[in-house]
């Protein structure tokens, strides 16, 4: 892996979004990944619809939570994702209003990624932003800097939040993952969370995945 | 609320009769503690001690109280069939022109076993996060910090009681953030965020995703590792 990488500088990442009072992080994590994959294959960055997943992905539970692996299947089975503009976010489940004619993006498959953070970094630099799930310990009060909670407090088996890794690097020799969150720009570092890289902090390496666009 | 002079809590055995001046703030603290609880599920006050200090905004009461929770008999609600539980609580209450405001509330069971803190076990660290003394000055400072929070995040609440409740959550959260800060091994800073007036339970329920830990989900094929660029 290169020593540092940031897909934000390369136009592969849309603006930070806000899930509101709804446990829909899984949808934002997945659309962020698909936005990146589509950009890398097609050269166009489109902001994609989370609301379509809340309404139409019947394997998941909208604001009560969901799984990226189910969401990839739903996108594939539905026939694609509409854009944010065409199917805008409401922050609560509504009747499915997906229209195949309006779908702008499709995926062919989804893959599970390595638990090795060095390999994850290499994959990210070559293939694009990665959907991950983490233990959100401390994030209620996070303001800035690189978070590295004590392991007993942020155990990898209590995963409860899905986010998107968009880059990595080092700050004063401390390695970090740059993580796009979905709690608006008035949280964290303009909506981003920086988590220690290389120690399996908060289970960041346990549920890494990506859509495949061919 | 009954206030017998003989406390049952192990840590409160030496307590004497409560000063009459403490009874009113103690009743207020108990009322706040039992807020939103149905009759029959409310804790009762067993003993109280404390002191009062005159502050700019009024009188500041620092109370230590022994509360007794009723036994839980409803199997659809109780996690375990438990007997009566005694709690030791510390409250800080501001009395401003006869109006009470709960600034701080910390309660823990009297039989809590605290580890020696040398081993970094989950229980010892959680204990550290949830307990610890607060100075009175800290609570007073928090009052003005809370007012700034309300302005910054444009918060309004439905009633004075709700505002008081949110203030006590906010203060507890600030203590919690300080302790998370102290235990962080990176460079992160923790403090006031737009979620600072939510209990941990509210935050988890509203913003997080419990399915991630409960359901393994659909098995995906494993990606091929990338080659050397």
């Amino acid at each position: 892996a290169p020593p540092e990488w940031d897909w934000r500088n390369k136009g592969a990442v849309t603006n930070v979004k806000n899930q509101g009072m709804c446990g829909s992080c899984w949808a934002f994590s997945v659309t962020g990944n698909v936005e990146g994959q589509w950009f890398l294959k097609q050269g166009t960055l489109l902001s994609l619809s989370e609301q379509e997943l809340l309404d139409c992905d019947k394997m998941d539970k909208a604001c009560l939570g969901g799984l990226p692996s189910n969401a990839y299947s739903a996108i594939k089975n539905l026939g694609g994702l509409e854009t944010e503009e065409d199917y805008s976010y409401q922050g609560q489940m509504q009747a499915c209003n997906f229209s195949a004619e309006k779908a702008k993006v499709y995926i062919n498959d989804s893959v599970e990624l390595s638990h090795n953070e060095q390999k994850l970094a290499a994959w990210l630099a070559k293939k694009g932003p990665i959907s991950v799930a983490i233990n959100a310990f401390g994030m209620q009060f996070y303001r800035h800097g690189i978070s590295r909670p004590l392991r007993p407090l942020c155990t990898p088996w209590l995963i409860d939040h899905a986010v998107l890794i968009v880059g990595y690097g080092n700050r004063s020799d401390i390695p970090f993952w740059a993580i796009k969150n979905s709690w608006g720009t008035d949280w964290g570092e303009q909506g981003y969370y920086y988590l220690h890289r290389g120690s399996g902090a908060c289970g960041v390496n346990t549920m890494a995945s990506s859509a495949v666009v061919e | 609320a009954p206030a017998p002079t003989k406390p049952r809590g192990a840590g409160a055995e030496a307590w004497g009769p409560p000063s009459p001046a403490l009874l009113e703030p103690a009743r207020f603290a108990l009322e706040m503690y039992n807020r939103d609880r149905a009759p029959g599920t409310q804790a009762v006050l067993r003993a109280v001690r404390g002191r009062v200090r005159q502050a700019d905004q009024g009188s500041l009461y620092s109370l230590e109280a022994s509360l007794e929770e009723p036994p839980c008999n409803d199997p659809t609600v109780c996690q375990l069939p438990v007997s009566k539980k005694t709690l030791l609580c510390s409250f800080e209450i501001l009395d401003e022109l006869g109006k009470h405001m709960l600034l701080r509330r910390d309660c823990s069971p009297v039989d809590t076993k605290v580890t020696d803190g040398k081993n970094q076990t989950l229980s010892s660290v959680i204990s550290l996060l949830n307990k610890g003394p607060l100075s009175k000055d800290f609570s007073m400072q928090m009052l003005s910090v809370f007012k700034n929070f309300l302005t910054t995040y444009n918060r309004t609440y439905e009633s004075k009681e709700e505002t008081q409740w949110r203030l006590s959550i906010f203060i507890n959260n600030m203590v919690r953030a300080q302790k998370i800060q102290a235990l962080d091994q990176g460079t992160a800073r923790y403090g006031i965020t737009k979620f600072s007036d939510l209990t941990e339970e509210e935050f988890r329920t509203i913003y997080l995703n419990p399915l991630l830990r409960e359901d393994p989900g659909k098995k995906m094929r494993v990606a091929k590792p990338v080659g050397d660029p």
Side-chain angles (χ1 to χ4, degrees), chain A residues 59-184:
Chain A
M59 285 181 288
D60 288 309
K61 295 183 179 175
C63 289
L64 297 179
L67 298 170
S69 55
N70 290 341
Y72 296 128
S73 293
I75 296 168
K76 197 176 163 188
N77 294 336
L78 284 164
L81 277 172
E82 294 188 31
T83 62
E84 201 79 71
E85 193 176 8
D86 286 341
Y87 202 150
S88 61
Y89 188 66
Q90 306 298 317
Q92 57 186 17
M93 189 180 175
Q94 299 182 330
C96 178
N97 194 29
F98 173 72
S99 161
E101 292 79 50
K102 286 186 179 174
K104 297 289 195 302
V105 164
Y106 61 84
I107 67 171
N108 299 85
D109 199 358
S110 58
V111 286
E112 180 184 322
L113 304 181
S114 172
H115 289 197
N116 178 309
E117 288 182 79
Q118 187 63 24
K119 289 180 180 173
L120 276 181
W123 199 97
L124 178 135
K126 189 167 185 190
K127 302 272 194 173
I130 297 171
S131 167
V132 293
I134 55 176
N135 181 333
F137 174 84
M139 290 177 73
Q140 185 177 359
F141 309 118
Y142 172 82
R143 290 173 61 84
H144 55 82
I146 300 169
S147 176
R148 191 182 182 186
L150 286 178
R151 195 172 175 84
L153 294 173
C154 210
T155 56
W157 54 87
L158 290 177
I159 300 296
D160 53 11
H161 190 45
V163 287
L164 184 75
I165 297 180
V166 299
Y168 62 85
N170 293 276
R171 276 188 199 168
S172 306
D173 291 335
I174 300 178
F176 67 83
W177 291 112
I179 294 176
K180 185 186 182 189
N181 200 1
S182 49
W183 294 345

Side-chain angles (χ1 to χ4, degrees), chain B residues 55-196:
Chain B
D56 290 344
Q57 287 97 331
S59 301
L60 181 67
Y61 291 89
S62 299
L63 305 181
E64 288 183 340
S66 164
L67 305 185
E68 196 164 87
E69 296 269 22
C72 186
N73 296 317
D74 183 350
T76 63
V77 173
C78 310
Q79 289 185 334
L80 289 169
V82 291
S83 57
K84 285 181 182 176
K85 188 170 78 175
T86 303
L87 301 167
L88 276 181
C89 298
S90 60
F91 297 104
E92 276 192 9
I93 293 150
L94 180 67
D95 179 353
E96 197 174 17
L97 300 173
K99 288 187 178 175
H100 293 101
M101 185 177 289
L102 183 63
L103 297 183
R104 183 169 71 90
R105 185 192 83 173
D106 279 326
C107 291
S108 55
V110 291
D111 57 350
T112 298
K113 289 184 174 59
V114 181
T115 58
D116 62 9
K118 288 177 185 169
N119 296 324
Q120 195 187 88
T121 62
L122 182 60
S123 60
S124 66
V125 180
I126 292 293
S127 168
L128 178 58
L129 279 177
N130 290 328
K131 296 177 76 171
L134 285 176
S135 73
K136 292 167 193 66
D137 287 344
F138 180 83
S139 293
M140 299 302 285
Q141 284 169 11
M142 282 296 108
L143 194 56
S144 69
V145 174
F146 182 63
K147 286 176 183 171
N148 287 339
F149 166 81
L150 297 181
T151 308
T152 304
Y153 294 104
N154 200 21
R155 285 285 193 286
T156 52
Y157 302 114
E158 286 183 358
S159 63
K160 276 190 173 179
E161 289 75 22
E162 168 83 357
T163 306
Q164 288 181 354
W165 177 241
R166 292 294 159 195
L167 169 61
S168 66
I169 293 167
F170 180 86
I171 293 174
N172 281 332
N173 279 341
M174 288 306 93
V175 176
R176 194 170 168 79
Q178 281 187 352
K179 290 174 180 173
I180 292 170
Q181 179 72 68
L183 294 168
D184 193 272
Q185 297 173 309
T187 61
R189 305 301 296 177
Y190 300 88
I192 298 169
T193 69
K194 61 181 176 179
F195 305 121
S196 287

